[in-house]
Structures are given as structure tokens and as C-alpha cells.
Amino acid sequence: MAFELPALPYDYDALSPFMSRETLEYHHDKHHKAYVDNGNKLAAEAGLADLSLEEVVKKSFGTNAGLFNNAAQHYNHIHFWKWMKKGGGGNKLPGKLEAAFNSDLGGYDKFKADFAAAGATQFGSGWAWVSVKNGKLEISKTPNGENPLVHGADPILGVDVWEHSYYIDYRNLRPKYLEAFIDSLINWDYVLERYEAATK
């Protein structure tokens, strides 16, 4: 199953001023495209081109670093674009999601503090996540392209803390970028969709 670069679900100016057109053009058109192109080449070489993306990510983890890095980053980014929307963020969560955040993560304010801390303290490149594991929500962070899939969890929300995702707009102020992501960009409807799929 060939990897394909998805179109952004909004125009390049939609997330401004929290994420600029320039950031999206570089991040989507250059970085994500490179993961797709490299991933297709490496998956074919490894004889895994017919598998689903999730299967490629899981099979290549710990066995084929080059393929894993590109396939996992492709997976992460497919969802990352959908985890943002114009006018997103804030504490107006759909009811079912709000109930889960209250019971599993200690409520929205604690989620915000813990998720931002996970992203801010991830040394170097990586991601911060909210995932469903064993039926419950948990917050985690991973280095580079690694994601919760390879740890037996289903990610329902992730934020990219590689420098190319924020440096044009925030320079070295990663915590400011994380605050903007949580307060102004999260697409809670897509988070709910992922949550419902993970808890079926």
C-alpha cells in the first residue's frame, strides 16, 4: 500500500497567526513529502510495500531504523494535520471526551499542564501524545518519529515538537508554541473521532 502525501485539510493561511503559511509549506510540502518518498522506497526494498502503514510502522520498529523513521513520521503527520483546525483549541471538549479527560487525566487543566510539560521536556526532536492504552487515556512523549502504536497504545492526539514544526514562528520558544497549539489549534472533533475508534 503506497504511502501518499495527503492534502492539508485547510488552506496554508488557515492556522495563522498560531502557525504560519511558511511553516505549513515547509513542514507539509518538504518534510512530510520527504517521509513519503523515502518511506515508499525503503518499504519496497524491505518487501513490505503491500502492508498497511500501521503494519509497516510496527514491523519496522527496532528492526529497520530507516524505514521506521520515515513510516512512523508519515503516520504521525497524517494525523497531525487533522489534529489542528482554524478556531480550534481551548476547553470546549465534546461531552464524551470531557468525561474521559476528567476520569483518566484529572480534567482539562491538568491535561493542559501535563501535555505541555511532556512536549516541553522531550529532549531534542519528538512528540507528545494522548493515547488510549488498556481502555484508559494516558499522556506520554516519544523521541524522533516514535509513536504510541509501538507501545501497544492508540494515539488520539499528538503534537510535533521537532524544530521544523515551530522554529519559523516561535524560534526557540517551544513552550509558547505548545500553549498556542493547546489553546488555539486542537481539533477536538478529530480527537473524539480517534477516541471513539480506539475504545470501540
Side-chain angles (χ1 to χ4, degrees):
M1 180 179 193
F3 302 167
E4 287 181 32
L5 181 69
L8 287 175
Y10 30 72
D11 68 45
Y12 288 96
D13 294 309
L15 306 182
S16 183
F18 309 106
M19 191 173 282
S20 65
R21 165 182 278 270
E22 187 181 3
T23 288
L24 285 172
E25 285 176 343
Y26 273 94
H27 196 172
H28 176 271
D29 300 4
K30 303 282 195 294
H31 290 280
H32 191 174
K33 184 175 188 304
Y35 300 136
V36 168
D37 294 344
N38 292 331
N40 277 325
K41 179 173 168 287
L42 293 166
E45 287 171 3
L48 300 178
D50 293 336
L51 299 182
S52 72
L53 176 56
E54 287 85 351
E55 287 173 314
V56 173
V57 170
K58 290 174 183 174
K59 274 191 182 296
S60 61
F61 181 58
T63 62
N64 184 332
L67 175 56
F68 174 75
N69 290 337
N70 287 281
Q73 281 288 76
H74 177 42
Y75 174 89
N76 296 349
H77 284 81
I78 285 172
H79 297 293
F80 182 59
W81 309 128
K82 295 179 184 175
W83 278 321
M84 299 184 288
K85 71 173 185 179
K86 183 182 181 67
N91 61 1
K92 300 284 187 285
L93 280 64
K96 186 188 278 193
L97 208 52
E98 185 176 23
F101 272 50
N102 287 341
S103 67
D104 297 349
L105 302 178
Y108 175 82
D109 290 340
K110 186 162 183 347
F111 145 75
K112 180 177 173 178
D114 292 348
F115 186 64
T121 58
Q122 171 52 46
F123 185 76
S125 299
W127 292 74
W129 305 96
V130 177
S131 308
V132 175
K133 187 168 187 177
N134 301 322
K136 280 195 151 343
L137 293 178
E138 64 175 26
I139 290 172
S140 63
K141 59 185 177 180
T142 56
N144 302 315
E146 200 173 301
N147 61 43
L149 276 185
V150 299
H151 300 291
D154 290 303
I156 67 164
L157 174 64
V159 61
D160 188 345
V161 294
W162 286 58
E163 285 191 339
H164 60 237
S165 70
Y166 63 87
Y167 213 81
I168 289 168
D169 301 321
Y170 299 92
R171 296 302 182 222
N172 62 326
L173 302 178
R174 189 192 285 183
K176 199 168 158 57
Y177 155 69
L178 290 163
E179 184 182 357
F181 179 85
I182 296 165
D183 288 346
S184 307
L185 291 176
I186 295 175
N187 179 355
W188 289 118
D189 294 329
Y190 188 59
V191 179
L192 175 64
E193 189 182 311
R194 299 279 307 157
Y195 176 70
E196 288 179 329
T199 53
K200 266 204 283 221

